[in-house]
Amino acid sequence: MPAFEARSPKEFGAAVKHVRTGRGLTQEQLSEELGIPRLYLASLESGTPTLWATRMFRTLRRLGIRVTISYDVPAGSTGA
């Protein structure tokens, strides 16, 4: 099971983008499936530092908490 460590909004967004593109999904497809605006997903993937995300990652770092994002590789797939 592949995994990423996310220590910032930028690293979290990169992990989301990596898995999405590895699954052959466009931002439009995923955002439509999730019922969120495509621009929100684009902002998330680019790691735009929102106040909430900045505070969350600052708190996690201060407490020594690590966020690991692991994901399942679909059957028959060789990548994300």
Side-chain angles (χ1 to χ4, degrees):
M1 180 180 301
F4 292 90
E5 187 170 315
R7 295 174 298 254
S8 68
K10 194 161 205 68
E11 290 179 349
F12 180 82
V16 171
K17 182 177 182 178
H18 175 81
V19 175
R20 176 186 59 75
T21 58
R23 302 234 167 120
L25 293 169
T26 65
Q27 285 182 342
E28 189 66 38
Q29 290 168 322
L30 183 57
S31 63
E32 195 172 295
E33 183 179 319
L34 296 173
I36 61 173
R38 190 200 62 78
L39 289 176
Y40 178 82
L41 180 59
S43 178
L44 177 76
E45 288 184 352
S46 71
T48 302
T50 64
L51 182 58
W52 180 85
T54 300
R55 288 178 176 172
M56 179 188 73
F57 280 103
R58 183 183 313 146
T59 301
L60 296 174
R61 279 191 303 273
R62 172 61 181 88
L63 295 173
I65 297 171
R66 292 180 173 205
V67 175
T68 301
I69 301 164
S70 59
Y71 59 97
D72 296 326
V73 176
S77 175
T78 58

